[in-house]
Amino acid sequence: MLLRRFTSLCLLAVSVVFLMTPLSAGVLSGNHLIMVTASDCPWCEAFEDEVGKGYPKTEESKLLPLRRHDIYDPVPKDMADLLPATMTPTFIVIKDGKEAGRIIGYPGYELFWWRLSEFTR
């Protein structure tokens, strides 16, 4: 009788742990700036010309390395828990593995850096 109760409690505990575990296979970790982009997006091209090429050389890239994801590609497993982007470009700021905010659209060189500074201070 005691063994049956113990077994039932163990099964219940395992079930609760399983139900509380996220179903996504991967989880974002660390800090990133994810750029959701598209090859047919003129604003994405403007970002690449004005910011993207030099971004790896900036202090901001040390805090938020840039990672690009094409909106038409399947969502990587580690990004499955993020709300999907609805337009390009969308810049998703990830801090300590969690979304800290977004910059939707490319507002131009100066405004992009100003908006990004809100997340790097």
Side-chain angles (χ1 to χ4, degrees):
M1 181 78 156
L2 186 59
L3 182 60
R4 238 186 244 161
R5 284 188 183 174
F6 179 74
T7 304
S8 295
L9 285 174
C10 287
L11 287 173
L12 178 64
V14 168
S15 298
V16 168
V17 169
F18 177 75
L19 290 173
M20 293 177 65
T21 304
L23 294 178
S24 60
V27 176
L28 282 170
S29 63
N31 300 324
H32 304 278
L33 177 62
I34 299 172
M35 177 187 182
V36 181
T37 186
S39 59
D40 58 352
C41 167
W43 296 108
C44 300
E45 289 179 31
F47 170 83
E48 293 296 350
D49 289 342
E50 297 174 9
V51 177
K53 292 176 183 175
Y55 187 82
K57 299 175 187 171
T58 65
E59 290 298 313
E60 290 81 359
S61 75
K62 294 175 186 171
L63 300 171
L64 298 170
L66 184 61
R67 174 179 168 185
R68 293 168 178 85
H69 171 70
D70 193 292
I71 198 166
Y72 300 118
D73 289 345
V75 176
K77 289 181 181 181
D78 66 340
M79 290 173 50
D81 291 337
L82 295 175
L83 288 174
T86 56
M87 65 174 291
T88 57
T90 296
F91 301 90
I92 305 171
V93 178
I94 304 297
K95 284 191 160 185
D96 298 322
K98 298 183 186 208
E99 182 173 333
R102 292 181 180 214
I103 301 170
I104 299 175
Y106 176 61
Y109 182 85
E110 289 181 22
L111 285 176
F112 172 79
W113 288 112
W114 177 72
R115 291 288 315 277
L116 189 63
S117 74
E118 296 173 7
F119 302 105
T120 57
R121 299 183 231 175

